[in-house]
Amino acid sequence: MLRYNPKNIEVKWQKKWQDDKIYLAIDFDPRPKYVMLTEFPYPSGAGIHVGHTREYTLGDVIARYKRMSGFNVLFPMGYDAFGLPTENYAIKNKISPIKATDDNIKIFEQQLLSLGLSIDWDRSFRTSDPNYYKWTQWLFLQFFKAGLAYQDETYINWCPFCKTGLANEEVVNGRHERCDTLVEKKLLKQWLLKITDYADRLIDGLSTVDYLPKIASQQINWIGRSEGAEIIFQVDESDVQIKVFSTRIDTIYSAACIILAPEHPLVDKITLITHKQAVKDYLISSQSKSDIERQDEKRDKTGVFTGSYAINPINQEKIPIWLADFILVGYGTGAVFGDIHDERDAVFMENHHIKATYSVLPKDKEKAKKVMSGELVFSGDGILVNSGQFDGLTSSVARSEILQFLVDKKLAIKKVNFKLRDWIFSRQHYWGEPIPIIHCVDHGPVAVPDDQLPVVLPSVDNYEPTENGQSPLSMIDSWVNTVCPTCGKPAKRETDTMPNWAGSSWYYLRYFDPQNDQKFADRKKLDYWQAVDLYLGGMEHTTLHLLYSRFWHQFLFDQGLVPTPEPYAARRGQGIILGPDGTKMSKSKGNVIDPTEVIRSGYGADSLRIAIAFIAPYDLTTAWNPEILGGTYRFLNRLWVLVHNFVEKQNYVIASEFDELSEKKVLSTINKLITKVTDDIEKMNFNTAISAQMEALNILYKLNYSDKKIKVEIWQSSLESFIKLLAPFAPHIAEELWHVLTNSTQSVHLSDWPKADVSYLTEDKITIVVQINGKWRANLTMPVNSQEKEVKNEALRHEKIAIILKDKTINRVIFVSDKLINFVI
RNA sequence: GGGCGAGUGGCGGAAUUGGUAUACGCGGUGGACUUAAAAUCCACUGGUCUCAACAACCUUGAGGGUUCGAGUCCCUCCUUGCCCACCA
């Protein structure tokens, strides 16, 4: 017998699978389809890490299981190739990003191959390929033509040290993650996508798909829908009106001031001459603060009085108008009424000695006293007081009645606000898809005609962003200068590129038809493959990539371009694998586990895959334990020995020597295992699927080495089933042992998933627990379906029970069929 | 501050509708094989009491509750993880 050595078998089978193309997904195949999608990687120079390995291995387990279960499985892989790390790498090493991407993808392919993934490589692509980004550009133009892509002046993050515009994701805690400089804001004209138009749809759509509840609630949270009212406050002795958004219109009687964001457009108009200087000083001081400084001063709420007053529409009271930089210009109307029932407002008003009264009291009398004495700021719902005709109403009733009252007078409207902002879609960087727009003096921004797509990213000498914040593309005059597609006059190309979220917003659709040069994907193929059945990815993409791609898809659905309203029928997120020391893996800490190193070290891909499946539930963050590999290797080795032993010395014995009890044990073990593993994979309980296989193997192993004789056919069929159950997890050793055991020419991965024989699932005899007052006292072995009477008699005859129950009165007997009997004394 | 989770041996973690808590694996101890080591195999491995075995009692972050019976359900508290955060 050869020793189990992964090196001898893994590369051999990987090559064979590639040559035979056994993992191809077939368009329009009559079998039911199953699309198993894992997030495609960013091909960085560092190669794959354990996080990739977890995601792709578990995706592969499901893909293989579904394939064996009769599905036409599509398990694709591509590369999210545009983005900053590659650009930075190219700048630093003075090589082209195209070359860097090429090199990195070669490494990735090699590494992914060594994991033994059942990917359909014929459908692979990278987002930086012009044949791909032609369609990213085309899809962008559909947004543009629908009025959902627009330009606006917005503040971008600007690093004054690097002299470059930054993407949000490069700003960590208000600093540029690379150089740690405090980030400033710079006003630039930018492209935005109107994701806010889809805010409600993005929430509602979640109820039609099967997402992990945590993921759905994070998206809902991020979108941040809040219902309230927009209320009109007339400025005293002026024709100016201020619109104020509030979710607490029930507290309007206690409005003690109006507070505007410093950037509010009406600031200039309402500031009295006598207050101009103070306001100007305040604006300068608040503008010079970076985001992080504003956050640092959470408790110190600064502000300035404008000199003007507003009229509270509910009671005609005159209240002062202030400016304060804790009010955000981007949310609601950029104005609030200051109110003692809001903790931030209360602090602000106290700081600036603005007189405030309460209008809502808690139901709890002790609490109410504290509110009245000013000891407590009450921000919850309660009962209205000091509120004229609305006194005595509960907050929720008052909200609708006061709103209606003001709506009737045309002083308020019902309004829904979202935290979600429009998606800033411009990047002033080189390594991204050029935005396919031409700016014409007469016609403004014009779409590049379809037949001129793709707008190919030109090669440049210098990939660095320019000092004025423009993309390096702006330096190439020959590329920038073009003609207007509408009038033919000289015009200039847009020089911004798209964010790296663009290519990943629709990539799953391209897997359905990766070569198409007429359309982003053929409709018939979309109809066949949509939607993605299961999407597995990192939790960190919940509010960016996952939300963005749902938005794109919903838009495409509205345009009639895709058949389903949602892209992903189900979404799960895998947990992070930490370093062995329990902290996040990082090069500087030296706790990085390199999966390819593990494979090369001699444990092999199968032991690694099993370890990943076994170490913890897939969605749990857990520390990597290198020693677990010893255990998973031993497990595979035991199976190797068992199968080879059986094949090499199966000895035929005469019928009378067979041990029926042992045979039954083998059959019940294997059939229970089939049920358990099938169920566990369906529920993604990979760790218990493995432990069940270990347990079963231990039983089979012992039986094999006992002197009990078991029929060859029973061993043969049981081992075949066992290998099939293992195949999704450890595809190489399963394939090898399958061929050793069966001499078949067909791959185990194309064989049928085993079905349990129910007749072996139930036992004739079962263990029944005897409890006294709920406490375990003894076990009984009884036939299945024994009646209460029989069990009770048997229990009372039990020596131990008899001793305890002597001289005691049984008040009650609780009987659970086939499980337990409990005497209450 | 808000939202969503999680607390079980030395460690990662099991535990159907509430029904023998600690499966499986790691680590540890003892043993077999070996000149020796590695590998492999066997036995033991939550705590207290006990020379030991049997038995008994205790044990799922803390405290209370519901129940014949609670890791599981309810309440209060503590600890901790992730995401968001001056969002009116």
Side-chain angles (χ1 to χ4, degrees):
Chain A
M1 187 202 313
L2 282 165
R3 252 188 95 238
Y4 169 47
N5 184 353
K7 283 182 182 163
N8 295 339
I9 61 168
E10 293 191 347
V11 174
K12 175 180 87 181
W13 287 115
Q14 283 158 13
K15 201 170 171 307
K16 173 93 169 128
W17 295 332
Q18 280 285 85
D19 292 346
D20 294 354
K21 290 189 181 271
I22 68 167
Y23 303 126
L24 290 194
I26 301 158
D27 293 327
F28 311 119
D29 190 273
R31 286 171 297 169
K33 64 94 190 176
Y34 192 89
V35 181
M36 175 65 234
L37 184 68
T38 48
E39 285 173 352
F40 61 167
Y42 182 84
S44 78
I48 63 168
H49 50 71
V50 180
H52 290 124
T53 312
R54 192 180 208 184
E55 180 176 340
Y56 300 147
T57 298
L58 300 183
D60 190 47
V61 168
I62 292 173
R64 289 178 181 278
Y65 161 72
K66 287 288 180 185
R67 199 176 288 118
M68 290 173 77
S69 303
F71 287 86
N72 178 28
V73 170
L74 171 53
F75 182 47
M77 184 62 66
Y79 299 96
D80 190 13
F82 276 131
L84 278 162
T86 303
E87 180 168 308
N88 288 330
Y89 179 83
I91 290 168
K92 202 170 149 195
N93 296 291
K94 304 227 179 296
I95 62 165
S96 93
I98 294 177
K99 170 96 171 65
T101 301
D102 235 35
D103 294 349
N104 290 345
I105 286 178
K106 280 198 188 107
I107 293 167
F108 263 73
E109 257 164 12
Q110 203 46 51
Q111 295 183 335
L112 292 172
L113 214 62
S114 74
L115 282 172
L117 304 172
S118 63
I119 289 163
D120 177 354
W121 285 107
D122 284 5
R123 291 173 187 259
S124 188
F125 56 81
R126 66 193 69 177
T127 55
S128 60
D129 184 338
N131 294 323
Y132 179 84
Y133 70 68
K134 170 180 180 177
W135 299 107
T136 309
Q137 292 175 334
W138 185 84
L139 290 167
F140 170 82
L141 289 176
Q142 308 313 303
F143 282 97
F144 177 67
K145 288 168 185 169
L148 290 174
Y150 65 99
Q151 280 185 292
D152 199 6
E153 291 238 308
T154 59
Y155 287 97
I156 63 154
N157 299 304
W158 176 258
C159 175
F161 180 80
C162 303
K163 295 204 166 86
T164 168
L166 304 175
N168 275 334
E169 49 274 25
E170 292 173 277
V171 182
V172 177
N173 291 327
R175 290 170 186 276
H176 184 195
E177 61 167 355
R178 216 156 289 275
C179 67
D180 222 32
T181 309
L182 275 175
V183 169
E184 289 177 0
K185 297 283 181 188
K186 193 179 173 93
L187 202 60
L188 264 186
K189 201 167 191 188
Q190 308 239 59
W191 285 94
L192 291 98
L193 290 192
K194 227 171 175 181
I195 191 172
T196 50
D197 273 12
Y198 280 75
D200 272 326
R201 287 268 299 279
L202 288 167
I203 292 173
D204 297 344
L206 290 171
S207 60
T208 68
V209 291
D210 168 27
Y211 284 18
L212 207 68
K214 189 177 167 183
I215 295 170
S217 84
Q218 247 177 57
Q219 291 214 341
I220 290 168
N221 220 355
W222 180 264
I223 294 166
R225 181 189 155 98
S226 64
E227 279 182 44
E230 208 168 271
I231 308 153
I232 293 168
F233 282 73
Q234 188 70 42
V235 177
D236 195 27
E237 293 172 18
S238 154
D239 57 356
V240 177
Q241 292 182 332
I242 297 173
K243 285 180 183 163
V244 165
F245 177 71
S246 176
T247 55
R248 291 298 306 275
I249 198 170
D250 53 310
T251 67
I252 192 167
Y253 277 90
S254 52
C257 60
I258 295 287
I259 317 169
L260 305 182
E263 300 89 350
H264 195 284
L266 291 176
V267 168
D268 218 31
K269 242 180 170 173
I270 60 168
T271 304
L272 297 188
I273 295 169
T274 46
H275 291 72
K276 280 264 191 268
Q277 192 56 46
V279 167
K280 202 173 156 193
D281 291 347
Y282 183 73
L283 293 184
I284 289 168
S285 88
S286 75
Q287 267 165 17
S288 70
K289 286 179 205 163
S290 66
D291 279 355
I292 196 162
E293 283 170 317
R294 281 200 190 187
Q295 278 166 28
D296 277 350
E297 304 184 293
K298 249 182 197 172
R299 282 162 222 290
D300 183 22
K301 302 228 181 302
T302 60
V304 67
F305 180 42
T306 61
S308 288
Y309 289 82
I311 308 294
N312 186 341
I314 200 82
N315 58 8
Q316 291 9 277
E317 228 172 79
K318 259 172 74 171
I319 55 176
I321 303 173
W322 283 67
L323 308 183
D325 62 11
F326 75 94
I327 303 300
L328 307 172
V329 72
Y331 184 75
T333 59
V336 302
F337 65 76
D339 163 20
I340 195 153
H341 295 293
D342 179 289
E343 282 172 40
R344 291 150 309 172
D345 295 357
V347 170
F348 175 78
M349 296 193 294
E350 197 183 339
N351 285 353
H352 301 284
H353 312 292
I354 298 166
K355 205 178 138 258
T357 52
Y358 54 88
S359 64
V360 176
L361 286 177
K363 284 175 184 159
D364 182 294
K365 283 191 177 150
E366 286 304 307
K367 268 192 185 168
K369 268 185 197 163
K370 285 187 181 172
V371 175
M372 288 189 268
S373 68
E375 266 177 87
L376 182 73
V377 170
F378 178 61
S379 57
D381 278 8
I383 306 291
L384 267 68
V385 294
N386 301 331
S387 299
Q389 66 188 93
F390 302 100
D391 274 1
L393 296 181
T394 62
S395 288
S396 64
V397 174
R399 274 197 284 276
S400 59
E401 292 207 0
I402 294 178
L403 175 60
Q404 196 53 52
F405 179 81
L406 289 176
V407 166
D408 289 345
K409 299 188 163 189
K410 295 199 162 33
L411 287 170
I413 54 165
K414 192 174 170 164
K415 180 89 182 180
V416 175
N417 262 316
F418 298 93
K419 288 185 200 172
L420 184 71
R421 307 299 158 79
D422 277 342
W423 173 11
I424 298 176
F425 204 69
S426 289
R427 295 292 182 272
Q428 294 73 41
H429 282 277
Y430 172 76
W431 191 232
E433 303 87 345
I435 291 178
I437 291 286
I438 292 167
H439 295 280
C440 171
V441 182
D442 296 333
H443 297 94
V446 179
V448 170
D450 287 0
D451 60 8
Q452 289 175 32
L453 294 178
V455 177
V456 177
L457 192 59
S459 43
V460 294
D461 299 330
N462 191 352
Y463 305 106
E464 294 191 46
T466 60
E467 294 217 346
N468 60 11
Q470 295 294 315
S471 149
L473 296 180
S474 66
M475 310 293 278
I476 318 170
D477 288 342
S478 61
W479 184 80
V480 171
N481 291 311
T482 182
V483 292
C484 170
T486 308
C487 62
K489 282 188 195 161
K492 288 184 188 299
R493 285 188 191 280
E494 171 64 55
T495 59
D496 281 354
T497 54
M498 299 187 200
N500 61 333
W501 311 109
S504 61
S505 287
W506 72 281
Y507 75 108
Y508 53 94
L509 296 170
R510 191 65 176 173
Y511 288 135
F512 304 152
D513 194 8
Q515 314 295 345
N516 199 328
D517 58 0
Q518 301 299 310
K519 285 176 176 171
F520 70 94
D522 178 71
R523 180 56 192 249
K524 286 206 179 87
K525 290 180 183 175
L526 289 173
D527 286 342
Y528 177 78
W529 288 108
Q530 263 288 292
V532 169
D533 292 275
L534 177 61
Y535 192 17
L536 190 59
M539 284 302 297
E540 70 273 21
H541 294 128
T542 297
T543 52
L544 295 169
H545 159 66
L546 193 60
L547 198 67
Y548 292 153
S549 62
R550 288 185 59 225
F551 161 52
W552 273 48
H553 194 92
Q554 290 185 349
F555 169 73
L556 296 183
F557 178 73
D558 287 352
Q559 298 290 308
L561 294 171
V562 292
T564 61
E566 285 282 341
Y568 318 116
R571 166 81 184 193
R572 298 289 182 274
Q574 81 273 1
I576 300 164
I577 294 185
L578 305 169
D581 57 351
T583 66
K584 227 172 194 168
M585 287 188 195
S586 79
K587 266 187 196 159
S588 58
K589 272 185 271 180
N591 62 350
V592 175
I593 302 293
D594 178 356
T596 59
E597 191 52 47
V598 172
I599 293 171
R600 262 180 280 134
S601 72
Y603 283 120
D606 285 337
S607 290
L608 175 65
R609 291 170 57 112
I610 299 264
I612 281 171
F614 179 59
I615 194 163
Y618 78 98
D619 56 345
L620 219 71
T621 295
T622 190
W624 180 250
N625 175 7
E627 279 167 338
I628 200 174
L629 285 161
T632 56
Y633 180 86
R634 273 190 283 279
F635 163 63
L636 294 177
N637 187 43
R638 279 158 74 91
L639 179 66
W640 177 276
V641 170
L642 180 63
V643 171
H644 277 88
N645 260 349
F646 168 72
V647 171
E648 282 165 26
K649 27 176 133 145
Q650 38 179 278
N651 38 0
Y652 292 86
V653 285
I654 53 166
S656 61
E657 285 180 46
F658 292 124
D659 183 74
E660 262 187 59
L661 216 65
S662 298
E663 290 184 337
K664 216 160 178 192
K665 181 75 184 160
V666 169
L667 288 168
S668 81
T669 299
I670 210 76
N671 281 290
K672 280 180 185 166
L673 185 66
I674 292 169
T675 314
K676 172 76 176 155
V677 172
T678 306
D679 197 46
D680 274 351
I681 295 178
E682 288 284 349
K683 291 177 179 157
M684 295 180 74
N685 295 332
F686 306 109
N687 56 330
T688 51
I690 298 296
S691 66
Q693 292 188 45
M694 289 174 166
E695 233 172 325
L697 183 63
N698 289 343
I699 292 168
L700 297 182
Y701 207 78
K702 274 188 187 150
L703 280 170
N704 186 52
Y705 282 95
S706 70
D707 48 12
K708 303 281 194 287
K709 296 283 185 280
I710 293 162
K711 283 193 205 72
V712 167
E713 305 88 75
I714 291 178
W715 268 122
Q716 177 76 27
S717 72
S718 298
L719 288 175
E720 283 181 18
S721 292
F722 193 97
I723 287 168
K724 285 180 178 183
L725 295 176
L726 181 70
F729 298 93
H732 310 89
I733 190 175
E735 187 79 297
E736 179 74 18
L737 292 179
W738 177 255
H739 289 274
V740 167
L741 189 64
T742 66
N743 291 317
S744 165
T745 51
Q746 197 209 31
S747 167
V748 68
H749 303 296
L750 300 179
S751 69
D752 291 335
W753 190 251
K755 280 201 175 61
D757 182 341
V758 285
S759 61
Y760 293 107
L761 295 181
T762 49
E763 319 260 347
D764 328 327
K765 297 209 167 171
I766 203 158
T767 305
I768 292 181
V769 172
V770 184
Q771 295 182 338
I772 291 172
N773 286 348
K775 195 155 187 64
W776 175 84
R777 290 295 156 174
N779 285 346
L780 298 176
T781 304
M782 300 282 293
V784 169
N785 279 327
S786 295
Q787 296 304 301
E788 175 168 356
K789 218 173 182 178
E790 302 160 35
V791 177
K792 188 179 167 186
N793 288 338
E794 192 64 32
L796 291 175
R797 265 202 296 276
H798 195 279
E799 193 188 348
K800 214 175 129 185
I801 301 299
I803 291 167
I804 300 170
L805 288 182
K806 203 177 154 196
D807 305 331
K808 298 281 188 334
T809 320
I810 298 167
N811 294 330
R812 214 175 133 189
V813 178
I814 286 141
F815 176 74
V816 181
S817 182
D818 289 343
K819 254 195 188 137
L820 66 85
I821 185 158
N822 184 13
F823 297 102
V824 184
I825 57 171

